[in-house]
Amino acid sequence: MAKKLVIKVTAGADAPERCSQAFTVAAVAVASGVEVSLWLTGESAWFALPGRAAEFELPHSAPLPDLIESIMAAGRITLCTQCAVRRDIGEADVLEGVRIAGAQVFVSEIMADGVQALVY
């Protein structure tokens, strides 16, 4: 099994099932002891803002704020730099603990030994 899981989620409210799957897999991996790095890109970038996850609804899925809390407890959440800029989101706007980083950091993470990368 990979020692680290990097998940890139590109979907938000525009594709709720795909979005929920990414957060669910990340939270389950964290609960299983896997080191997780979740990247918010595209429409999922909005979930880096306080209160936005609470607006997300998908029947029969775990609440997004709970999943984010689980991931943040032992993993890392990163907001894509370009995605943030396109949405006028700055460092002062995001949830505590969310970092903003770009493609160079993403590539560095996914190319490391023992990493499994998934894109939703």
Side-chain angles (χ1 to χ4, degrees):
M1 175 160 52
K3 295 177 184 165
K4 183 173 183 179
L5 181 61
V6 177
I7 299 173
K8 182 182 217 181
V9 56
T10 63
D14 59 324
E17 287 184 298
R18 191 162 30 109
C19 176
S20 180
Q21 289 168 359
F23 282 92
T24 300
V25 167
V28 168
V30 165
S32 300
V34 176
E35 184 181 346
V36 173
S37 176
L38 179 71
W39 283 72
L40 305 177
T41 67
E43 286 303 297
S44 72
W46 295 114
F47 299 127
L49 297 175
R52 292 303 282 267
E55 298 171 7
F56 180 85
E57 290 185 14
L58 181 64
H60 310 292
S61 66
L64 205 52
D66 294 350
L67 295 174
I68 290 172
E69 184 178 328
S70 296
I71 296 162
M72 294 289 283
R76 164 171 265 163
I77 296 180
T78 304
L79 171 59
C80 161
T81 301
Q82 289 182 17
C83 301
V85 170
R86 279 192 283 275
R87 289 161 180 81
D88 199 28
I89 299 171
E91 298 258 348
D93 302 318
V94 299
L95 295 166
E96 185 177 341
V98 171
R99 72 175 173 170
I100 298 176
Q104 180 181 7
V105 175
F106 179 77
V107 170
S108 176
E109 283 190 18
I110 64 170
M111 295 307 294
D113 289 336
V115 173
Q116 173 68 51
L118 302 173
V119 178
Y120 286 89

